[in-house]
């Protein structure tokens, strides 16, 4: 009941704090666009991109001062989901308020056959959405509203949002410092057309029992091992990973593995959490999983910048 009340309370804040933001001045021509997002609240914002209204949620840390640049994290929802559900499901808000503050942006995909999506090829091959351009515009808009560290922009996502994170690593790596995919992969189109501007650190979390995005691939999606091999090769990492057991926090006797590929170009790294018996879910300890997914992701991403490893 406490979780439901908290969800509804924050949803009310989203609705009340929603604001439009076109990136242009008002009709009078002399009123500058106001930043969409009050510190400490979740705000629904809208911008125009390619003649289409595109929405996103933004959370600015409650203690944001505007005196020091902060990182920017994109969190992408899955196929048919939405920004609000992904915000609560992945739950990065408390981390954004932590010692290493960051601005959190949860974009909303456009509709394809009645389903929200990110255009990554494969089952979204008929999409005309310019999602790469949308993210570029979002980076510019948010950076004009808040003091963002341009070298520390990150992307993560669930399922189709994980595919989108890889798509950004291939097509916008000069602006994306590191990415993390949960239950996502790369489409054949993304991997065949991948042209990163520089090595990019990658984190993958995937369950062996995922029946939605099979860990061993299918006719429409690459096997996770192939995805990892691509980035290990591109980043020039050690071919053999260091394998460690994931602590069995839920004490169910199922031991998962973390595969770490080190000594990569520019201090980048590839980490792969192969979660035995886990399905198509975002792992969290309170849900009975062996990982607190969002914490693992932020601890990984926050180590990197487009200029190299920072800690």
């Amino acid at each position: 009941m406490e979780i439901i009340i908290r969800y509804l309370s924050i949803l009310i804040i989203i609705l009340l704090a929603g604001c439009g933001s076109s990136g242009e001045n008002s009709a009078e021509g002399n009123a500058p666009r106001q930043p969409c997002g009050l510190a400490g609240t979740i705000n629904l914002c809208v911008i125009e991109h390619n003649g289409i209204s595109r929405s996103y949620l933004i959370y600015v840390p409650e203690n944001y001062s505007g005196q020091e640049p902060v990182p920017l994290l994109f969190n992408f929802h899955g196929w048919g989901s939405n920004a609000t559900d992904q915000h609560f499901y992945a739950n990065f808000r408390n981390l954004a308020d932590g010692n290493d503050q960051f601005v959190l942006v949860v974009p909303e995909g456009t509709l394809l056959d009645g389903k929200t999506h990110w255009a990554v090829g494969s089952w979204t091959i008929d999409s005309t959405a310019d999602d790469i351009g949308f993210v570029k515009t979002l980076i510019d808009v948010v950076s004009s509203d808040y003091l963002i560290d341009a070298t520390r922009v990150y992307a993560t996502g669930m399922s189709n949002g994980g595919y989108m994170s890889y798509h950004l690593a291939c097509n916008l790596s000069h602006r994306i410092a590191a990415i993390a995919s949960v239950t996502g992969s790369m489409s054949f189109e993304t991997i065949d057309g991948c042209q990163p501007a520089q090595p990019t650190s990658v984190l993958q979390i995937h369950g062996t029992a995922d029946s939605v995005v099979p860990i061993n691939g299918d006719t429409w999606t690459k096997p996770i091992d192939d995805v990892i091999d691509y980035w290990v090769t591109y980043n020039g990492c050690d071919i053999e990973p260091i394998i460690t057991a994931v602590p069995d926090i839920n004490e169910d006797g199922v031991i998962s593995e973390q595969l770490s590929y080190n000594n990569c170009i520019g201090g980048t790294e590839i980490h792969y959490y192969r979660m035995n018996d886990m399905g198509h879910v975002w792992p969290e300890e309170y849900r009975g999983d062996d990982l607190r997914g969002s914490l693992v992701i932020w601890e990984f991403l926050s180590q990197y910048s487009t200029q190299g490893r920072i800690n």
Side-chain angles (χ1 to χ4, degrees):
M1 180 62 70
E2 179 181 351
I3 293 175
I4 294 175
I5 293 173
R6 180 174 179 271
Y7 182 99
L8 291 175
S9 298
I10 297 177
L11 185 58
I12 291 171
I13 293 174
I14 292 174
L15 295 175
L16 292 177
C19 54
S21 176
S22 68
E24 299 176 356
N25 290 348
S26 68
E28 288 78 13
N30 55 10
R33 179 183 58 80
Q34 296 298 311
C36 182
L38 301 174
T41 64
I42 307 163
N43 295 267
L44 173 62
C45 309
V46 179
I47 62 171
E48 294 292 320
H49 178 70
N50 280 0
I52 301 174
S53 294
R54 301 293 303 263
S55 64
Y56 62 99
L57 298 181
I58 186 168
Y59 180 74
V60 180
E62 57 185 3
N63 292 322
Y64 170 78
S65 67
Q67 302 301 309
E68 298 290 336
V70 297
L72 170 61
L73 173 65
F74 286 99
N75 178 17
F76 295 95
H77 64 72
W79 166 260
S81 185
N82 57 70
T84 300
D85 285 351
Q86 180 64 14
H87 170 75
F88 289 102
Y89 191 43
N91 192 25
F92 281 100
R93 183 179 178 184
N94 289 338
L95 293 171
D97 283 330
N99 292 330
D100 188 15
Q101 293 183 344
F102 59 90
V103 170
L104 173 65
V105 170
V106 190
E108 180 112 356
T110 56
L111 292 177
L112 176 67
D113 297 328
K115 297 287 188 179
T116 50
H117 76 290
W118 303 106
V120 296
S122 189
W123 77 101
T124 68
I125 194 69
D126 293 330
S127 175
T128 59
D130 176 24
D131 286 331
I132 297 295
F134 175 44
V135 173
K136 289 170 63 177
T137 298
L138 278 179
I139 294 173
D140 291 340
V141 168
V142 175
S143 296
S144 69
D145 290 345
Y146 307 98
L147 188 56
I148 299 297
D149 185 343
T151 70
R152 299 184 67 196
V153 178
Y154 309 111
T156 188
M158 167 78 180
S159 194
N160 188 194
Y163 284 83
M164 182 61 187
S165 298
Y166 278 119
H167 206 55
L168 289 169
C170 288
N171 296 283
L172 204 63
S173 67
H174 63 293
R175 302 191 74 176
I176 303 293
I179 68 106
S181 164
V182 181
T183 76
S185 182
M186 294 176 74
S187 68
F188 288 88
E189 291 82 3
T190 294
I191 203 166
D192 289 345
C194 194
Q195 295 183 321
Q198 59 192 26
T200 304
S201 291
V202 168
L203 170 67
Q204 176 74 37
I205 300 175
H206 216 97
T208 61
D210 191 331
S211 60
V212 178
V213 179
I215 196 169
N216 293 320
D218 206 328
T219 56
W220 54 274
T221 184
K222 295 291 289 184
I224 300 302
D225 283 347
D226 288 4
V227 171
I228 298 301
D229 287 346
Y230 174 87
W231 290 102
V232 166
T233 300
Y234 183 82
N235 287 6
C237 309
D238 292 341
I239 296 176
E240 294 297 326
I242 296 173
I243 302 177
T244 55
V246 175
D248 184 17
I249 294 174
N250 62 11
E251 298 182 342
D252 62 357
V254 177
I255 305 299
S256 300
E257 298 175 321
Q258 177 187 351
L259 289 74
S260 300
Y261 298 84
N262 303 319
N263 298 317
C264 312
I265 297 171
T268 57
E269 290 181 313
I270 310 296
H271 286 190
Y272 172 24
Y273 284 86
R274 188 166 55 200
M275 306 300 293
N276 288 321
D277 291 350
M278 190 180 86
H280 195 70
V281 298
W282 185 286
E284 290 292 353
E285 291 175 15
Y286 72 86
R287 299 185 190 121
D289 300 310
D290 286 333
L291 287 182
R292 183 183 171 194
S294 300
L295 177 61
V296 168
I297 287 169
W298 179 245
E299 287 181 342
F300 176 82
L301 296 178
S302 61
Q303 301 176 84
Y304 309 102
S305 78
T306 53
Q307 298 175 345
R309 185 161 180 157
I310 58 179
N311 56 40

